[in-house]
Amino acid sequence: MIDRRKFIGRITAAGALSLVPRIVKSETIFSSATVDTNSLPVIISTWNHGLDANEEAIRVLNDGNSIVDAVEQGVWIPEADPKNMSVGLGGFPDREGIVTLDASIMGPDGNAGSVCFLENIVHPISVARLVMDKTPHVMLSGSGALQFALENGFKKENLLTPEAKKAWKKALLKHDYEPHPNWENEPNKFHDTIGLLGVDKNGNIAGACTTSGMGFKIRGRVGDSPIIGAGLFVDNEIGAATATGMGELVIKTVGSFLVVELMRNGRSPQEAVEEAVMRIVNKVPEHQKYQIGYIAVNKNGETGAYCLKPGFNYALYKNGTNSLIDSKSYYK
Ligand code: SD4
């Protein structure tokens, strides 16, 4: 059952008396008048490539655009960066040497769009946005997603850079298939999926998540990032969450949805992400081999971050400052 008093206490750091909660089908819904906007806007995103993405998201927001525009265009930065080997252009290919991309986006109106197993498009997040805005569907995959993108003016491009091709050839020599827990600890400082969540000055929330997925994955493999509720979830009444790491663990526990539901039930963003990591620890026996990182934000701009193993960091833009922060981890 919802601990309403605890939740109200959290959501109104500034003034509980102004709250007018109303109960709808056992959910507590708040009007935007109840949001404490003092520290808004807030942008939070995964890994150090999040710093530039946050800057761009804030720039887009300050230019008077929507929070959906901000999260979409924020993640364009790592998507278009050929040196970033885990997102968009320059991402690691699958086992066959083909780069395949997954992305999802959600807005304050509860609408969602995603693409998975998409080839040859530099900005999969914008194809996901188009699925959200222009179709009655949520997810398009593979050749259908590519066809939809091309029909809507996207250009077909080669995403496999010489560096990613070289890394793929080297990986093939090893003949193993062990996803690495933490690309950040690799000698070449590879990045990872970008998940970016934003809350605008009025408390409206959106999120975007985009990735080339696990490097050298089995052809056809789709991770958590394009799956609404797994790699990304937004509920404008409550908050948002996104995930990075071994997507299979996130899918098995419906991680981002879980984080948002825990916040709905009164947990702070930090408590919620810690509980979602604990769910993986308790339910997924093979979790020790992998890394998982969650970030979350609530409607007031309070944030949380937690991961399985040391090494995960995230970028936080709050009160005018953009900083890279090491996440706390379950294993030390
Ligand atoms: C996936 N979660 O495809 C993504 C990739 C990632 O660390 O974040 N890897 O499973």
Side-chain angles (χ1 to χ4, degrees):
M1 220 178 86
I2 293 170
D3 183 347
R4 227 178 92 211
R5 270 194 310 175
K6 203 169 158 195
F7 182 70
I8 291 170
R10 286 219 166 86
I11 205 97
T12 56
L17 289 176
S18 62
L19 274 177
V20 190
R22 99 194 135 84
I23 308 299
V24 178
K25 286 188 192 158
S26 86
E27 288 180 346
T28 308
I29 308 290
F30 294 89
S31 75
S32 55
T34 63
V35 180
D36 173 7
T37 55
N38 280 335
S39 41
L40 300 178
V42 166
I43 307 284
I44 183 170
S45 60
T46 54
W47 306 105
N48 56 4
H49 50 195
L51 283 172
D52 289 344
N54 285 5
E55 290 288 347
E56 181 62 7
I58 278 295
R59 192 194 62 72
V60 171
L61 209 52
N62 288 343
D63 276 358
N65 300 293
S66 72
I67 191 66
V68 177
D69 294 329
V71 300
E72 176 193 8
Q73 292 176 42
V75 303
W76 279 356
I77 304 294
E79 279 187 339
D81 179 0
K83 292 201 207 75
N84 187 321
M85 300 178 110
S86 56
V87 183
L89 176 67
F92 282 138
D94 65 13
R95 262 193 208 179
E96 321 292 318
I98 300 165
V99 181
T100 70
L101 306 175
D102 295 339
S104 63
I105 189 162
M106 270 191 99
D109 58 356
N111 208 356
S114 81
V115 289
C116 66
F117 195 42
L118 174 64
E119 294 173 21
N120 296 113
I121 299 291
V122 174
H123 291 302
I125 197 68
S126 297
V127 186
R129 169 114 193 235
L130 214 60
V131 174
M132 174 170 86
D133 288 347
K134 300 272 190 284
T135 81
H137 308 308
V138 169
M139 184 181 235
L140 294 182
S141 69
S143 59
L146 178 61
Q147 182 182 327
F148 173 77
L150 298 177
E151 282 168 3
N152 283 283
F154 287 80
K155 281 211 193 80
K156 204 168 173 178
E157 305 201 32
N158 174 28
L159 303 181
L160 186 65
T161 58
E163 292 73 27
K165 190 171 180 179
K166 206 163 126 196
W168 164 64
K169 290 222 156 133
K170 202 166 143 201
L172 280 186
L173 294 177
K174 285 206 281 173
H175 294 292
D176 68 353
Y177 183 62
E178 267 310 309
H180 298 217
N182 227 337
W183 291 115
E184 292 287 320
N185 292 339
E186 297 286 303
N188 290 333
K189 285 242 178 247
F190 299 130
H191 298 287
D192 222 305
T193 295
I194 185 149
L196 185 147
L197 311 171
V199 189
D200 71 14
K201 63 179 176 15
N202 299 314
N204 289 314
I205 310 168
C209 185
T210 175
T211 188
S212 51
M214 302 306 303
F216 323 123
K217 60 200 171 189
I218 294 172
R219 180 142 181 83
R221 182 265 187 190
V222 168
D224 59 314
S225 307
I227 299 177
I228 299 300
L232 176 71
F233 195 68
V234 174
D235 183 326
N236 202 48
E237 300 295 339
I238 306 297
T242 188
T244 181
M246 183 65 176
E248 282 73 359
L249 279 59
V250 177
I251 296 170
K252 286 174 188 175
T253 53
V254 201
S256 294
F257 181 72
L258 174 61
V259 171
V260 173
E261 290 311 291
L262 288 166
M263 291 194 285
R264 190 192 306 280
N265 284 287
R267 308 295 196 288
S268 69
Q270 187 59 37
E271 288 167 347
V273 289
E274 290 185 15
E275 198 165 329
V277 167
M278 279 311 298
R279 185 69 60 89
I280 289 173
V281 170
N282 291 328
K283 298 280 184 186
V284 188
E286 71 275 17
H287 72 270
Q288 287 211 33
K289 287 197 284 187
Y290 304 116
Q291 173 66 304
I292 288 295
Y294 284 116
I295 56 172
V297 66
N298 70 12
K299 210 163 168 60
N300 290 341
E302 294 160 336
T303 58
Y306 202 58
C307 58
L308 267 176
K309 299 176 178 180
F312 171 53
N313 53 24
Y314 63 100
L316 176 63
Y317 178 95
K318 193 168 184 175
N319 299 322
T321 307
N322 196 23
S323 8
L324 188 67
I325 302 168
D326 284 329
S327 165
K328 288 187 204 148
S329 56
Y330 175 74
Y331 292 106
K332 301 302 165 203

CSV table of all heavy atoms in Angstrom, one decimal, residues 46-47 86 102 180-183 191-194 209-215 217 221-226 231 243-251 291-293, ligand 1:
chain,number,residue,atom,x,y,z
A,46,THR,N,24.1,9.1,-17.8
A,46,THR,CA,25.0,8.1,-17.5
A,46,THR,C,26.4,8.3,-18.1
A,46,THR,O,26.5,8.8,-19.2
A,46,THR,CB,24.6,6.7,-18.0
A,46,THR,OG1,24.3,6.8,-19.4
A,46,THR,CG2,23.3,6.2,-17.3
A,47,TRP,N,27.5,8.0,-17.3
A,47,TRP,CA,28.8,8.0,-17.8
A,47,TRP,C,29.4,9.4,-18.1
A,47,TRP,O,28.6,10.3,-18.1
A,47,TRP,CB,29.1,7.1,-19.0
A,47,TRP,CG,28.6,5.6,-18.7
A,47,TRP,CD1,27.5,5.1,-19.3
A,47,TRP,CD2,29.2,4.6,-18.0
A,47,TRP,NE1,27.4,3.8,-18.9
A,47,TRP,CE2,28.4,3.5,-18.1
A,47,TRP,CE3,30.4,4.6,-17.2
A,47,TRP,CZ2,28.8,2.3,-17.4
A,47,TRP,CZ3,30.7,3.4,-16.6
A,47,TRP,CH2,29.9,2.2,-16.7
A,86,SER,N,30.3,3.1,-28.0
A,86,SER,CA,29.2,2.4,-27.5
A,86,SER,C,27.8,3.1,-27.8
A,86,SER,O,26.8,2.6,-27.3
A,86,SER,CB,29.3,2.3,-26.0
A,86,SER,OG,29.5,3.5,-25.4
A,102,ASP,N,20.0,0.5,-30.6
A,102,ASP,CA,18.8,0.5,-29.8
A,102,ASP,C,18.6,1.9,-29.2
A,102,ASP,O,19.6,2.5,-28.7
A,102,ASP,CB,18.9,-0.5,-28.7
A,102,ASP,CG,19.0,-1.9,-29.1
A,102,ASP,OD1,18.7,-2.3,-30.3
A,102,ASP,OD2,19.5,-2.7,-28.3
A,180,HIS,N,31.8,-7.3,-21.3
A,180,HIS,CA,32.7,-6.7,-20.2
A,180,HIS,C,31.8,-6.0,-19.2
A,180,HIS,O,30.9,-5.2,-19.7
A,180,HIS,CB,33.7,-5.8,-20.8
A,180,HIS,CG,34.6,-6.5,-21.8
A,180,HIS,ND1,35.9,-6.1,-21.9
A,180,HIS,CD2,34.4,-7.5,-22.7
A,180,HIS,CE1,36.5,-6.9,-22.8
A,180,HIS,NE2,35.6,-7.7,-23.3
A,181,PRO,N,32.0,-6.1,-17.9
A,181,PRO,CA,31.2,-5.4,-17.0
A,181,PRO,C,31.2,-3.9,-17.1
A,181,PRO,O,30.3,-3.2,-16.9
A,181,PRO,CB,31.7,-5.9,-15.6
A,181,PRO,CG,33.0,-6.5,-15.9
A,181,PRO,CD,33.1,-6.9,-17.3
A,182,ASN,N,32.3,-3.4,-17.5
A,182,ASN,CA,32.6,-1.9,-17.3
A,182,ASN,C,33.5,-1.4,-18.3
A,182,ASN,O,34.7,-1.4,-18.2
A,182,ASN,CB,33.2,-1.8,-15.9
A,182,ASN,CG,32.6,-0.7,-15.2
A,182,ASN,OD1,32.0,0.2,-15.8
A,182,ASN,ND2,32.7,-0.7,-13.9
A,183,TRP,N,33.1,-1.0,-19.5
A,183,TRP,CA,34.0,-0.5,-20.5
A,183,TRP,C,34.9,0.6,-20.0
A,183,TRP,O,36.0,0.8,-20.5
A,183,TRP,CB,33.2,0.0,-21.7
A,183,TRP,CG,32.5,-1.1,-22.5
A,183,TRP,CD1,31.2,-1.2,-22.6
A,183,TRP,CD2,33.1,-2.2,-23.2
A,183,TRP,NE1,30.9,-2.3,-23.4
A,183,TRP,CE2,32.0,-2.9,-23.8
A,183,TRP,CE3,34.4,-2.6,-23.4
A,183,TRP,CZ2,32.2,-4.1,-24.5
A,183,TRP,CZ3,34.6,-3.7,-24.2
A,183,TRP,CH2,33.5,-4.4,-24.7
A,191,HIS,N,33.3,4.2,-23.7
A,191,HIS,CA,32.1,4.6,-22.9
A,191,HIS,C,31.1,3.5,-22.9
A,191,HIS,O,31.3,2.4,-23.1
A,191,HIS,CB,31.6,5.9,-23.5
A,191,HIS,CG,32.5,7.0,-23.5
A,191,HIS,ND1,32.9,7.7,-22.3
A,191,HIS,CD2,33.2,7.6,-24.5
A,191,HIS,CE1,33.7,8.6,-22.6
A,191,HIS,NE2,34.0,8.6,-23.9
A,192,ASP,N,29.9,4.0,-22.7
A,192,ASP,CA,28.8,3.0,-22.6
A,192,ASP,C,27.5,3.7,-23.0
A,192,ASP,O,27.5,4.8,-23.5
A,192,ASP,CB,28.7,2.5,-21.1
A,192,ASP,CG,28.5,1.1,-21.0
A,192,ASP,OD1,27.5,0.6,-21.6
A,192,ASP,OD2,29.2,0.4,-20.4
A,193,THR,N,26.4,3.0,-22.8
A,193,THR,CA,25.1,3.5,-23.2
A,193,THR,C,24.9,4.9,-22.5
A,193,THR,O,25.2,5.1,-21.4
A,193,THR,CB,24.0,2.6,-22.6
A,193,THR,OG1,24.1,1.4,-23.3
A,193,THR,CG2,22.6,3.2,-22.8
A,194,ILE,N,24.3,5.8,-23.3
A,194,ILE,CA,23.8,7.0,-22.6
A,194,ILE,C,22.3,7.0,-22.3
A,194,ILE,O,21.5,6.8,-23.2
A,194,ILE,CB,24.2,8.3,-23.3
A,194,ILE,CG1,23.8,9.5,-22.5
A,194,ILE,CG2,23.6,8.4,-24.7
A,194,ILE,CD1,24.6,10.7,-22.6
A,209,CYS,N,17.3,7.2,-24.1
A,209,CYS,CA,18.3,6.2,-23.9
A,209,CYS,C,18.8,5.7,-25.3
A,209,CYS,O,18.0,5.3,-26.1
A,209,CYS,CB,17.7,5.1,-23.1
A,209,CYS,SG,18.9,3.8,-22.5
A,210,THR,N,20.1,5.7,-25.5
A,210,THR,CA,20.6,5.2,-26.8
A,210,THR,C,21.9,4.5,-26.8
A,210,THR,O,22.8,4.9,-26.0
A,210,THR,CB,20.6,6.5,-27.8
A,210,THR,OG1,21.1,6.1,-29.1
A,210,THR,CG2,21.4,7.6,-27.3
A,211,THR,N,22.1,3.5,-27.6
A,211,THR,CA,23.3,2.6,-27.4
A,211,THR,C,23.5,1.8,-28.7
A,211,THR,O,22.6,1.5,-29.5
A,211,THR,CB,23.0,1.7,-26.2
A,211,THR,OG1,24.2,1.0,-26.0
A,211,THR,CG2,21.9,0.7,-26.5
A,212,SER,N,24.7,1.3,-28.8
A,212,SER,CA,25.0,0.3,-29.8
A,212,SER,C,25.0,-1.1,-29.1
A,212,SER,O,25.3,-2.1,-29.7
A,212,SER,CB,26.4,0.5,-30.5
A,212,SER,OG,27.4,0.7,-29.6
A,213,GLY,N,24.6,-1.1,-27.9
A,213,GLY,CA,24.5,-2.3,-27.1
A,213,GLY,C,25.8,-3.0,-26.8
A,213,GLY,O,26.8,-2.4,-26.8
A,214,MET,N,25.7,-4.2,-26.3
A,214,MET,CA,26.9,-4.9,-25.9
A,214,MET,C,27.8,-5.1,-27.2
A,214,MET,O,27.3,-5.5,-28.2
A,214,MET,CB,26.6,-6.3,-25.3
A,214,MET,CG,25.7,-6.2,-24.1
A,214,MET,SD,26.2,-5.2,-22.8
A,214,MET,CE,27.8,-5.8,-22.4
A,215,GLY,N,29.1,-4.8,-27.0
A,215,GLY,CA,30.0,-5.0,-28.1
A,215,GLY,C,30.1,-6.4,-28.5
A,215,GLY,O,30.2,-7.3,-27.7
A,217,LYS,N,28.0,-8.5,-29.7
A,217,LYS,CA,26.9,-9.3,-29.3
A,217,LYS,C,26.5,-10.3,-30.5
A,217,LYS,O,26.8,-10.1,-31.6
A,217,LYS,CB,25.7,-8.4,-29.0
A,217,LYS,CG,25.3,-7.5,-30.2
A,217,LYS,CD,24.5,-6.3,-29.8
A,217,LYS,CE,24.3,-5.3,-31.0
A,217,LYS,NZ,23.7,-4.1,-30.6
A,221,ARG,N,20.7,-9.6,-31.3
A,221,ARG,CA,20.5,-9.3,-29.8
A,221,ARG,C,20.0,-7.9,-29.6
A,221,ARG,O,20.5,-7.0,-30.2
A,221,ARG,CB,21.8,-9.6,-29.1
A,221,ARG,CG,21.7,-9.4,-27.6
A,221,ARG,CD,22.1,-8.0,-27.2
A,221,ARG,NE,22.2,-7.8,-25.7
A,221,ARG,CZ,22.3,-6.6,-25.1
A,221,ARG,NH1,22.4,-5.5,-25.8
A,221,ARG,NH2,22.4,-6.6,-23.8
A,222,VAL,N,19.0,-7.8,-28.8
A,222,VAL,CA,18.4,-6.4,-28.4
A,222,VAL,C,18.6,-6.3,-26.9
A,222,VAL,O,18.3,-7.3,-26.2
A,222,VAL,CB,17.0,-6.3,-28.9
A,222,VAL,CG1,16.3,-5.1,-28.2
A,222,VAL,CG2,16.9,-6.2,-30.4
A,223,GLY,N,19.0,-5.2,-26.4
A,223,GLY,CA,19.2,-5.0,-25.0
A,223,GLY,C,18.0,-4.4,-24.3
A,223,GLY,O,16.9,-4.4,-24.8
A,224,ASP,N,18.3,-3.8,-23.2
A,224,ASP,CA,17.2,-3.2,-22.4
A,224,ASP,C,16.9,-1.8,-22.9
A,224,ASP,O,15.8,-1.3,-22.7
A,224,ASP,CB,17.7,-3.1,-20.9
A,224,ASP,CG,19.0,-2.3,-20.8
A,224,ASP,OD1,19.9,-2.5,-21.6
A,224,ASP,OD2,19.0,-1.4,-19.9
A,225,SER,N,17.9,-1.1,-23.5
A,225,SER,CA,17.7,0.3,-23.8
A,225,SER,C,16.5,0.7,-24.6
A,225,SER,O,15.9,1.8,-24.3
A,225,SER,CB,19.0,0.8,-24.5
A,225,SER,OG,20.1,0.5,-23.7
A,226,PRO,N,16.0,-0.1,-25.6
A,226,PRO,CA,14.8,0.3,-26.3
A,226,PRO,C,13.6,-0.2,-25.7
A,226,PRO,O,12.5,0.0,-26.2
A,226,PRO,CB,15.1,-0.3,-27.7
A,226,PRO,CG,15.8,-1.6,-27.3
A,226,PRO,CD,16.6,-1.3,-26.2
A,231,GLY,N,15.1,-0.3,-19.9
A,231,GLY,CA,16.2,0.7,-20.0
A,231,GLY,C,15.7,2.1,-19.7
A,231,GLY,O,16.6,2.9,-19.4
A,243,ALA,N,18.8,3.0,-17.3
A,243,ALA,CA,19.8,2.0,-16.9
A,243,ALA,C,21.0,1.9,-17.9
A,243,ALA,O,20.8,2.2,-19.1
A,243,ALA,CB,19.1,0.6,-16.8
A,244,THR,N,22.1,1.4,-17.4
A,244,THR,CA,23.2,1.0,-18.2
A,244,THR,C,23.8,-0.3,-17.7
A,244,THR,O,23.6,-0.6,-16.6
A,244,THR,CB,24.2,2.2,-18.3
A,244,THR,OG1,25.3,1.8,-19.2
A,244,THR,CG2,24.8,2.5,-16.9
A,245,GLY,N,24.6,-0.9,-18.6
A,245,GLY,CA,25.2,-2.2,-18.1
A,245,GLY,C,24.6,-3.4,-18.9
A,245,GLY,O,24.0,-3.2,-20.0
A,246,MET,N,24.7,-4.5,-18.3
A,246,MET,CA,24.3,-5.7,-19.0
A,246,MET,C,22.8,-5.8,-19.0
A,246,MET,O,22.1,-6.1,-18.0
A,246,MET,CB,24.9,-6.9,-18.2
A,246,MET,CG,24.6,-8.3,-18.8
A,246,MET,SD,25.4,-8.4,-20.4
A,246,MET,CE,24.9,-10.1,-20.8
A,247,GLY,N,22.2,-5.4,-20.2
A,247,GLY,CA,20.8,-5.2,-20.3
A,247,GLY,C,19.9,-6.4,-19.9
A,247,GLY,O,18.8,-6.2,-19.5
A,248,GLU,N,20.4,-7.6,-20.1
A,248,GLU,CA,19.6,-8.8,-19.8
A,248,GLU,C,19.2,-8.7,-18.3
A,248,GLU,O,18.1,-9.2,-18.0
A,248,GLU,CB,20.4,-10.0,-20.1
A,248,GLU,CG,20.5,-10.4,-21.6
A,248,GLU,CD,21.4,-9.5,-22.4
A,248,GLU,OE1,22.0,-8.5,-21.9
A,248,GLU,OE2,21.5,-9.7,-23.7
A,249,LEU,N,20.0,-8.3,-17.4
A,249,LEU,CA,19.7,-8.2,-16.0
A,249,LEU,C,18.6,-7.2,-15.7
A,249,LEU,O,17.8,-7.4,-14.9
A,249,LEU,CB,21.0,-7.9,-15.2
A,249,LEU,CG,21.9,-9.0,-14.9
A,249,LEU,CD1,22.5,-9.7,-16.1
A,249,LEU,CD2,23.1,-8.5,-14.0
A,250,VAL,N,18.7,-6.1,-16.5
A,250,VAL,CA,17.7,-5.0,-16.4
A,250,VAL,C,16.3,-5.5,-16.9
A,250,VAL,O,15.3,-5.3,-16.3
A,250,VAL,CB,18.1,-3.8,-17.1
A,250,VAL,CG1,17.1,-2.7,-17.0
A,250,VAL,CG2,19.5,-3.3,-16.6
A,251,ILE,N,16.3,-6.2,-18.0
A,251,ILE,CA,15.1,-6.7,-18.6
A,251,ILE,C,14.4,-7.7,-17.7
A,251,ILE,O,13.2,-7.6,-17.4
A,251,ILE,CB,15.3,-7.4,-20.0
A,251,ILE,CG1,15.9,-6.3,-21.0
A,251,ILE,CG2,14.1,-8.0,-20.5
A,251,ILE,CD1,16.4,-6.9,-22.3
A,291,GLN,N,28.1,-5.6,-14.9
A,291,GLN,CA,27.9,-4.3,-14.3
A,291,GLN,C,26.4,-3.8,-14.6
A,291,GLN,O,25.9,-4.1,-15.7
A,291,GLN,CB,28.9,-3.3,-14.8
A,291,GLN,CG,28.6,-1.8,-14.4
A,291,GLN,CD,28.8,-1.5,-12.9
A,291,GLN,OE1,28.2,-2.2,-12.1
A,291,GLN,NE2,29.7,-0.6,-12.6
A,292,ILE,N,25.8,-3.2,-13.7
A,292,ILE,CA,24.5,-2.5,-13.9
A,292,ILE,C,24.6,-1.1,-13.2
A,292,ILE,O,25.1,-1.0,-12.1
A,292,ILE,CB,23.4,-3.3,-13.3
A,292,ILE,CG1,23.1,-4.5,-14.1
A,292,ILE,CG2,22.1,-2.4,-13.2
A,292,ILE,CD1,22.6,-4.3,-15.5
A,293,GLY,N,24.2,-0.1,-13.8
A,293,GLY,CA,24.1,1.2,-13.2
A,293,GLY,C,22.7,1.8,-13.4
A,293,GLY,O,22.2,1.7,-14.6
B,1,SD4,C1,22.6,-3.1,-23.5
B,1,SD4,N1,22.4,-1.7,-21.5
B,1,SD4,O1,22.5,-3.2,-24.7
B,1,SD4,C2,22.9,-1.7,-22.9
B,1,SD4,C3,24.4,-1.5,-23.0
B,1,SD4,C4,25.1,-1.0,-21.9
B,1,SD4,O2,26.9,-1.4,-20.6
B,1,SD4,O3,24.7,-0.1,-21.2
B,1,SD4,N2,26.2,-1.6,-21.7
B,1,SD4,O4,22.5,-4.1,-22.7
